[in-house]
Amino acid sequence: MQSRFYRPLCQVWTERISAALKAKERFTKVGEQCNHFFEAGAGFMWETKFKRDYFSGTLPSPKFKITIAKMYEFVSIYGPHLYWQYANRKVVSHREEHGIKIRPEHFGDPNDPAVQQAFQQVMMQDAGEIAMSKFANELMGSYLNWSQREQPGGSLHMQMAVTETLIKGMGSVWPDVYSFAGSEQKFTRLRYRTIDNLVIDPDCTDPLLETAGYIALRHVTPIWQLEKLFKLKAGALAGRGNNSSMEQVSRDSVKNESGAKNTHDRIEWWEIWSKCGVGPRTSALSHQVLDELDEQLGDYAYLCVAKGVEFPLNAHPDRFFGEDAATQEDVASMFEWRYSGFGEKFPVWKDNRWPVSLLSFNKLSRSPWPLAPGAPGLGELIVINILSSAYADQAWADRKSIIGFLKSAAGNVKAALDSENAIEVVEINDNVQRSITDCIQYLNKPGRQNNLLEAIDYFSGVFDKRVGLSELMYGESSTQIRVASDIRTRSEATQIRPEKYSKDVAAWMSDATQMELFSAIMYVKGITLTHLLGGYGASQWDSLVASMPIELAMREMRASVDASEVRRPNHERDTANMQALQQYLLPTAQMFAQETGKTKPLQDFLSLASESMEMPALAKLAEGFDEWRPPADEESQKLAQAQQQAELENIQSDSAQKQSAAKKLEADALATIAELGSEGEGEDESGEKAKEIQMAEVEFQQGLQHKQQDHEQKIIGNQELLVQKLLFNEAEATLKESALKNQAAIKNANARKTKTTTRN
């Protein structure tokens, strides 16, 4: 198996990775050059190993080797604009955003009671489902916002990926599951890994990697750690190392008696995520095992290979034989997609994704490798550094002052030139029959030309246009701006490229957060989030989130990040807007608080002002307004008391009138009943009396309702008025009870009258 299947399989994948590295050479070389202008030391271009890359090695080395760090300026200005703070991650459902709106006519005739009943039932069920979906989204959003702050390294992973994208053209973060030391609780994170270690199928011809058959990630790990990671026997990889740690280099510097050195203690290995099966599907490499693996695993496979190792690290041949030989499920588990670094299983291919989120700004239509932002200006940047070195050399040469004098005056003149005194007196020999200007004279040098400075300035301006730098980004202007519209126009034009980059960053962060969302559903348990969600929230996490099938989550839940959440807040603009709105909103909020006692609008306004002005103390001040009610002046208080007293008297008068009316109505009802009980009374007269009583009761109820509505708002908030309202309600209840008794008595009297008439 190892000689006829595994060895050829590993050799094929090693050749594939070599081809992918070669296809990446253009991107790698440009990225290295841009990185040199970002972080390399002064004069790196003039080193022998770099001369051929920058100017074919034909220029002589200058005395002053200068590096103008224009790439550092570009990164330091654009970087904070693109990523300034943690993003606010939001989770929504597709149904919540784009779901259909159910209407009664979808069930039939809207006037049909059965249709209306069916519609109400469906609406109640739909509202319940949406409410639970929103609750699950809130739980997930709370966790994702917490996880990015809690993960080791915090925001540094995102910052490094953005910086690498600005320098080399592409950055990456990889989703992962981790546990803290000594704990089995699992959490999720996004890890930065340099783009230098990633290779992509050389046959890929699109920036979205849709035509890529595989991607691979390079690792260099100590041999003992690799054996432990893949559960290999100790010494299984002995002698396979191809890299040395600095510790080993220091040990080897002190040779033993025989002069022999130890073998390498680290090994380079590659993780491969394949969408084209375990191996090449060609007749040149056909094997029964390969056919069986392709039939069982399908297109999506995961392998770990190392040069010089004749078997995949994740599928040692010993695992296929013996009493504990791997079953079909075990084999499928060996080759199932995982997180980078041989982590937990991660079948993200089900959502048509690779286990990495890539950020780039300048995508190329027929290549997976983008163009670095600084690549178009590399030519100008090289010229700027060459001319700057030449200008410094010229300035150094021009520092000399060449003086000519007669040989006979050499002693006195040379001593004066070497002296440090500000004024030096030189005696001229009387025997010299010449003028002083003939004896001592400065030799004229050719005038310095400023064409070097002009050329440097020209190429510097061209480079700034290539990468999108401008004077406004530096807070400068070479011309005086007199019209505000010119400033606005220039500012808008300057922000076009940063705004585009910022949206790219937000889309990339949304994509990465989506994969972290999948990871949280698969591996995070509610009990580990009790500190964050509380007991009930943790139980609902297990019920609503952790139990959700990953395929359903991939179609239903969507995580997103807004570009405005990532960028640096514009506190100056926000403060100006708050000051402009203050004269309108603040008085309204104060009046609302004074009349209702509700201070939340005022608190919200102060919180926004605190955030825009960066004054945390103002936010604490807003918290103290929970029970705040602005004091009224004395006249207002007296007027309010007078109004309350008048209302109290009116209520008392109304209560007395209503009690009197109730007694009168009761007396009338009793008289009517007595009249109905007499034999001489006719049915017409009794009916008229009953109608009059009913009409009086209706009018009384309407008047009572109007009175109650008029005084409802005025009564609340005053203790004495509240008591009177209770008395008012008691009188109303008594009146209603009397009316009901009267109606019942009238009905009984009519019934008796009917029976008597019938009997007669």
Side-chain angles (χ1 to χ4, degrees), residues 124-254:
M124 291 178 61
Q125 180 181 358
D126 191 63
E129 293 176 355
I130 292 177
M132 298 306 293
S133 177
K134 287 184 177 180
F135 185 38
N137 293 339
E138 290 176 1
L139 293 174
M140 179 59 73
S142 178
Y143 168 75
L144 292 176
N145 281 316
W146 172 84
S147 67
Q148 63 179 339
R149 293 169 171 81
E150 182 66 19
Q151 75 167 39
S155 63
L156 184 60
H157 293 275
M158 290 294 181
Q159 292 179 9
M160 294 175 67
V162 171
T163 299
E164 187 171 41
T165 305
L166 290 171
I167 297 172
K168 299 180 180 180
M170 180 179 283
S172 66
V173 290
W174 299 71
D176 192 14
V177 174
Y178 72 98
S179 298
F180 290 103
S183 174
E184 296 182 356
Q185 296 180 349
K186 295 180 180 180
F187 302 100
T188 60
R189 61 179 173 181
L190 295 172
R191 296 183 62 187
Y192 159 78
R193 295 186 184 276
T194 177
I195 202 65
D196 296 340
N197 292 334
L198 176 70
V199 296
I200 301 173
D201 183 2
D203 293 328
C204 178
T205 57
D206 70 282
L208 300 178
L209 308 190
E210 293 180 348
T211 57
Y214 65 90
I215 65 172
L217 183 65
R218 174 179 177 267
H219 300 271
V220 178
T221 308
I223 291 178
W224 69 271
Q225 288 185 5
L226 200 62
E227 292 174 345
K228 182 179 179 181
L229 178 65
F230 289 100
K231 298 180 181 181
L232 303 177
K233 295 180 180 179
L237 300 178
R240 312 292 179 89
N242 44 34
N243 282 267
S244 295
S245 64
M246 294 307 298
E247 180 183 358
Q248 180 179 355
V249 172
S250 62
R251 290 198 309 265
D252 289 343
S253 63
V254 181

Side-chain angles (χ1 to χ4, degrees), residues 1 5-6 9 277-279 281 287-301 303 312 315 320 328 331-332 334-335:
M1 179 178 179
F5 169 66
Y6 265 161
L9 179 65
V278 173
R281 294 172 174 174
H287 193 277
Q288 180 182 359
V289 176
L290 181 61
D291 296 338
E292 291 180 359
L293 286 175
D294 277 342
E295 182 179 354
Q296 182 175 350
L297 302 178
D299 295 334
Y300 303 96
L303 296 94
F320 293 89
Q328 290 186 352
V331 174
M334 291 181 198
F335 294 95

Side-chain angles (χ1 to χ4, degrees), residues 247-321:
E247 180 183 358
Q248 180 179 355
V249 172
S250 62
R251 290 198 309 265
D252 289 343
S253 63
V254 181
K255 297 181 180 180
N256 53 30
E257 295 180 358
S258 62
K261 294 184 179 181
N262 297 323
T263 57
H264 299 289
D265 63 343
R266 299 204 303 170
I267 186 171
E268 177 185 273
W269 60 284
W270 291 83
E271 283 184 286
I272 302 168
W273 292 268
S274 171
K275 289 185 178 181
C276 54
V278 173
R281 294 172 174 174
T282 61
S283 58
L285 183 63
S286 60
H287 193 277
Q288 180 182 359
V289 176
L290 181 61
D291 296 338
E292 291 180 359
L293 286 175
D294 277 342
E295 182 179 354
Q296 182 175 350
L297 302 178
D299 295 334
Y300 303 96
Y302 171 85
L303 296 94
C304 298
V305 299
K307 190 175 182 179
V309 180
E310 298 177 346
F311 57 87
L313 298 173
N314 58 310
H316 194 280
D318 291 345
R319 300 183 62 182
F320 293 89
F321 303 98

Side-chain angles (χ1 to χ4, degrees), residues 4 13 86 125 159 548 573 593 704 736:
R4 299 184 59 187
W13 278 113
Y86 288 109
Q125 180 181 358
Q159 292 179 9
M548 182 183 299
R573 181 197 60 193
L704 186 64
K736 288 183 178 179

